[in-house]
């Protein structure tokens, strides 16, 4: 470190301190600009990929227009009607449906990050929430709906917290790195779910024993839709749970002693220990809270998936929300609001590319469905490489030779 | 450097500063904490870009946009706070960026270790090239930093408070090196708060105050008092006046303490001591003789092998850091950046580091940032922390002001026992004067103060009783007048006990 603390050169940023500290450094140095530039870069690169593979700039333009229209975000410009006669309203409701769990898995990754840990186990924790919600949602049929939903959500969340807590305990006691242990936990959750829902499994659909499909959650435990049309999957109230979680995340980090401990440990575990903070306890606790967010996402998808939503062996391998949550959190710089915006972007991208391209036959459907992952990968790449973007940004400033420069050098906001 | 200007939001760190160094001279840069010394040097080293002014090297205007460019132009810098990679070895750190390679790409570790070992020997640095940086003491890390700059063949060497952590012996070894380098035509810029050192080594001295150049004088004719006056703008009392101690009950007792370090080496070997209310007990010793482990054991940061620690009648031998804090321990740590502060936190948040969970800062788990800020405001004023308000990031403060922040927090907690490790490290003369008086005042309030310092002078002038630590054992105890030589001899293991 140079004398005045973290100094602005990127080489040093890489050399010094913990994960969270170096992220904070970048955050201060880049403010809101870097994430925006990151997204733009990712889109430009994907545009180039599409244009190159389709040998046509025109096709690429159409592709991106279709994605945008498919996401329904254009509805926001003309919110003339909220009925499903408007295709854009329908698309937007589906985008928000995708966004709902992404907010939570994003918060999960962000929370662990703020404590200096990398939780890659969002997917596994999500599955645990999903399994428990299914089990209780089927078993307690007839319970008061409100209580039933509450029971499923809290039990699923707690189970996922405990599940993620294992990684925390392993880190605190034997020093096992959380990246390794959460990946292993992902696989355990994956095979457990496959077994439970698979043929002969304990939670397998009792009415059609040959299908590897779970039982349907009892109608009383379903999260009601509030924006949609009879007979279609609409937007369910789970999105309000997700939005509330954003607020909870912010309050927890910034207005509670627990959050203070998390941030202190994330920035500088030595100083935290010196301050009287139990660092190991915080590893376990932060991991559990992180898992709780991801598990809650699983319960919402299970309970909100209404009429025809089931988890079969065929669906489970396609569950990616936990991983997308990593990109969401990175893009959102591990802040509450940033994660919300990141989730919206990825939600729009997921649904927009699936729907907008899947139905419009402008390009090869395989490329269409993979485009989201390409863009996601590019975002992760650029977020990782934002040291580079910072560098470009700084030299651009130098080129303009602004005498006072560095407006973002001191951005204090951490949420 | 001419007319250099640098602003940070809300602070003018350098205001039309002019500064020149001749070939083959040692030029000292003096100034209060936050005067802008480090900023000026960071500009010269290419880490900051100036908002105005020009830099000429050998008469040619230059402008560095990165440290790499400055290094290539022959400028080397040893920072006030280290820039080493803790998980790499000493040798790897020294050669980093200019590694000797074998067969094109492979890092030739043996060659690196050999060269570094040679250098350590030539310059008489006692550092094991194979040791991991995280395992060596602060003092040794400093030496690695110096070697790093020397290794890159700089013609201009900037040393930002290099002696802050060296023992007097090590410092005079360093001065020998600097003399040699000067004779070879190297220019050395030397920042220090120790006026005696500056007078000993520097040819010329430039004084900065609040971002402006006050004067450049030659060593001849300058005195400690005249320099202190130029720095602070008033007369400074360089000696501590201290009334006789009125001691009370024993507040800290240590019995036959044994502590091992992280590598399992026994560093504290049967230390017993006690400190009474109203006295300052100083622990003298060469760095690495068990001071760090002793402090960590007393503060619950390191496990005790055997023995007992009692604070104000409470047995705390195997207590956690939390329990030690709650029992009334205050601790000014020797490394403010590694441990004393969360640099990414604001001043207010750092002030709350121990008591963030207690009223009024918090109640049943809820944090009240407004009250945190309130408390920070009071302390910033009382302890004259300069360079920002309660919401300023602690990492943005100058080194000395960071130290003041730590001291303010620890004293304000109203501890029964205050463990002060290198409390004046990096402080300017004015601040040292204040801190010394404050420590004496806290003593008179009835606190038990354990002072651990590598600076013998500080130990001698503040302590009511002096203990000498050598290889993890107390080898001497003195009350009343005692000469520097006696203690110096004991510190090296040559005291009476060793002879007997
Ligand atoms: N990165 C930064 N951001 C904001 N303010 C800064 C930054 N670096 C330095 N400052 C401010 O600039 C002023 C000069 O700081 P500088 O570190 O140069 O002081 P210094 O003379 O080296 O002091 P010390 O003896 O305490 O090390 C201080 O007020 C400090 O708070
Ligand atoms: Mg400085």
């Amino acid at each position: 470190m140079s004398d005045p603390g973290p100094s602005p050169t990127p080489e040093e940023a890489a050399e010094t301190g913990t994960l969270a500290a170096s992220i904070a450094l970048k955050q201060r140095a880049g403010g809101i600009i870097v994430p925006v530039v990151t997204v733009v870069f990712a889109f430009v690169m994907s545009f180039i990929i599409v244009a190159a593979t389709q040998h046509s700039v025109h096709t690429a333009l159409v592709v991106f227009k279709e994605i945008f229209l498919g996401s329904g975000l254009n509805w926001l410009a003309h919110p003339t009607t909220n009925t499903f006669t408007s295709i854009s309203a329908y698309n937007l409701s589906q985008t928000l449906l995708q966004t709902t769990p992404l907010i939570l898995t994003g918060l999960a990754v962000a929370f662990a990050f703020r404590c200096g840990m990398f939780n890659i186990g969002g997917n596994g924790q999500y599955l645990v929430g999903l399994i428990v919600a299914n089990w209780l949602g089927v078993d307690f049929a007839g319970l008061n709906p409100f209580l039933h939903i509450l029971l499923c959500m809290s039990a699923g969340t707690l189970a996922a917290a405990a599940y993620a807590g294992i990684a925390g305990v392993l880190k605190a006691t034997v020093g096992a790195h959380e990246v390794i242990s959460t990946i292993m936990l992902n696989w355990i959750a994956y095979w457990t779910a496959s077994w439970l829902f698979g043929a002969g499994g304990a939670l397998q659909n009792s009415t059609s024993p040959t299908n590897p499909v779970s039982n349907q959650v009892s109608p009383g435990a379903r999260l009601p839709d509030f924006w949609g049309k009879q007979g279609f999957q609409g937007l369910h109230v789970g999105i309000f749970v997700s939005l509330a979680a954003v607020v909870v995340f912010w309050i927890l980090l910034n207005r509670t002693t627990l959050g203070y401990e998390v941030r202190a440990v994330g920035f500088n575990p030595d100083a935290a220990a010196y301050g009287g903070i139990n660092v190991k306890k915080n590893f376990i606790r932060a991991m559990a809270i992180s898992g709780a967010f991801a598990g809650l996402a699983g319960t919402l998808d299970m309970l909100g998936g209404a009429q025809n939503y089931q988890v079969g062996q065929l669906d489970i391998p396609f569950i990616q929300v936990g991983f997308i949550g990593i990109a969401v959190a990175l893009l959102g710089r591990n802040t509450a609001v940033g994660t919300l915006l990141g989730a919206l972007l990825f939600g729009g991208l997921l649904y927009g590319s699936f729907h907008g391209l899947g139905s419009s036959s402008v390009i090869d459907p395989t490329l269409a469905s993979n485009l989201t992952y390409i863009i996601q990968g590019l975002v992760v790449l650029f977020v990782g490489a934002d040291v580079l973007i910072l560098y470009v940004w700084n030299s651009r400033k130098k080129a303009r030779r602004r005498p006072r420069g560095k407006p973002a050098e001191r951005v204090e906001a951490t949420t | 450097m001419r007319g250099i200007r640098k602003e940070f939001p809300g602070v003018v760190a350098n205001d039309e500063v002019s500064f020149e160094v001749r070939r083959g001279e040692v030029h000292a840069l003096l100034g209060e904490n936050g005067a802008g010394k480090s900023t000026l040097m960071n500009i010269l080293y290419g880490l900051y870009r100036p908002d105005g002014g020009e830099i000429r090297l050998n008469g040619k205007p230059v402008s560095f946009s990165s440290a790499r460019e400055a290094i290539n132009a022959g400028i080397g810098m040893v920072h006030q706070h280290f820039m080493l990679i803790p998980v790499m070895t000493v040798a790897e750190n020294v050669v980093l960026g200019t590694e000797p390679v074998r067969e094109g790409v492979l890092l030739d570790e043996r060659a690196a270790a050999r060269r570094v070992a040679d250098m350590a020997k030539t310059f008489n640095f006692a550092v094991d090239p194979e040791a991991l940086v995280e395992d060596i003491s602060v003092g040794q890390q400093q030496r690695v930093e110096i070697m790093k700059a020397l290794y890159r063949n700089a013609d201009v060497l900037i040393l930002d408070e290099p002696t802050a952590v060296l023992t007097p012996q090590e410092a005079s070894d360093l001065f020998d090196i600097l003399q040699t380098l000067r004779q070879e035509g190297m220019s050395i810029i030397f920042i220090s708060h120790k006026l005696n050192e500056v007078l000993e080594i520097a040819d010329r001295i430039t004084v900065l105050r609040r971002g402006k150049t006050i004067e450049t004088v030659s060593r001849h004719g300058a005195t400690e008092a005249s320099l202190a006056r130029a720095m602070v703008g008033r007369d400074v009392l360089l000696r501590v006046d201290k009334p006789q101690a009125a001691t009370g009950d024993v507040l800290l007792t240590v019995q036959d303490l044994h502590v091992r370090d992280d590598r399992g080496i026994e560093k504290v070997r049967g230390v017993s001591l006690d400190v009474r209310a109203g006295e300052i007990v100083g622990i003298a010793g060469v760095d690495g003789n068990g001071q760090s482990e002793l402090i960590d054991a007393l503060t619950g940061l390191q496990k005790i092998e055997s023995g007992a620690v009692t604070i104000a009648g409470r047995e705390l031998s195997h207590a956690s850091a939390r329990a030690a804090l709650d029992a009334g321990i205050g601790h000014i740590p020797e490394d403010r950046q590694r441990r004393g502060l969360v640099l990414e936190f604001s001043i207010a948040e750092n002030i709350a580091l121990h008591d963030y969970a207690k009223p009024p800062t918090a109640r049943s788990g809820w944090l009240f940032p407004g009250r945190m800020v309130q408390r920070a405001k009071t302390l910033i004023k009382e302890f004259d922390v300069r360079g920002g308000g309660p919401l300023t990031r602690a990492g943005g403060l100058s080194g000395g002001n960071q130290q003041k922040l730590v001291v303010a927090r620890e004293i304000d907690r109203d501890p029964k026992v205050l463990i002060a490790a290198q409390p004046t490290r990096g402080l300017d003369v004015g601040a040292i004067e204040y801190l010394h008086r404050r420590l004496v005042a806290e003593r008179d309030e009835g606190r038990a103060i354990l002072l651990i310092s590598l600076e013998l002078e500080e130990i001698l002038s503040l302590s009511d009783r002096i203990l000498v630590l050598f290889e993890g054992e107390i080898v001497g105890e003195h009350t009343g007048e005692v000469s520097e030589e006696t203690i110096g001899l004991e510190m090296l293991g040559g005291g009476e006990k060793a002879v007997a």
Side-chain angles (χ1 to χ4, degrees), chain B residues 302-421:
Chain B
Q302 177 98 23
K303 275 213 188 72
I304 287 175
E305 180 89 359
S306 66
V309 176
T310 316
I311 293 159
R314 261 206 263 176
E315 157 87 40
L316 281 171
S317 309
H318 298 281
S320 64
R322 180 83 263 158
L325 287 166
D326 290 344
I329 282 254
H331 173 197
I332 300 170
E334 62 180 326
D335 188 337
R336 59 178 164 255
Q337 294 217 328
R338 189 159 99 190
R339 191 179 263 173
L341 294 170
V342 178
L343 294 176
E344 302 299 333
F345 270 5
S346 66
I347 292 184
E349 285 172 310
N350 271 294
I351 294 274
L353 191 57
H354 299 305
D355 297 329
Y356 62 93
K358 299 207 167 81
T361 310
R363 182 155 290 132
S364 26
W366 290 100
L367 215 56
F368 301 105
R371 298 187 194 162
M372 229 148 77
V373 167
Q374 223 37 56
R375 183 162 163 226
K377 265 190 193 148
T378 322
L379 290 185
I380 286 174
K381 212 151 128 212
E382 184 181 345
F383 287 82
D384 191 26
V385 179
R386 290 186 205 165
L391 296 180
T392 307
R393 212 172 49 87
L397 293 175
S398 78
N401 281 300
Q402 289 178 353
Q403 183 71 3
K404 287 194 212 167
L405 183 59
V406 173
V407 169
R409 175 183 67 213
E410 297 308 315
I411 289 186
D412 185 58
R413 287 190 69 240
D414 193 18
K416 294 194 182 85
V417 177
L418 180 62
I419 297 178

Side-chain angles (χ1 to χ4, degrees), chain A residues 1 3-4 260-261 263 274, chain B residues 38 48 81-82 331 349 356 395:
Chain A
M1 295 256 101
D3 171 35
Y260 182 96
E261 293 188 4
R263 288 181 292 131
Y274 156 82
Chain B
S38 299
Y48 292 156
H81 301 125
F82 315 135
H331 173 197
E349 285 172 310
Y356 62 93

Side-chain angles (χ1 to χ4, degrees), chain A residues 3-4 409-410, chain B residues 8-9 11 13 31-40 48 80 161 193 386-387 396-401 426:
Chain A
D3 171 35
E409 195 171 273
R410 265 305 189 91
Chain B
F8 292 109
V11 203
E32 281 180 287
N33 295 129
K37 306 178 294 294
S38 299
T39 303
L40 187 66
Y48 292 156
Q80 186 170 3
E161 302 190 33
H193 288 295
R386 290 186 205 165
L397 293 175
S398 78
N401 281 300

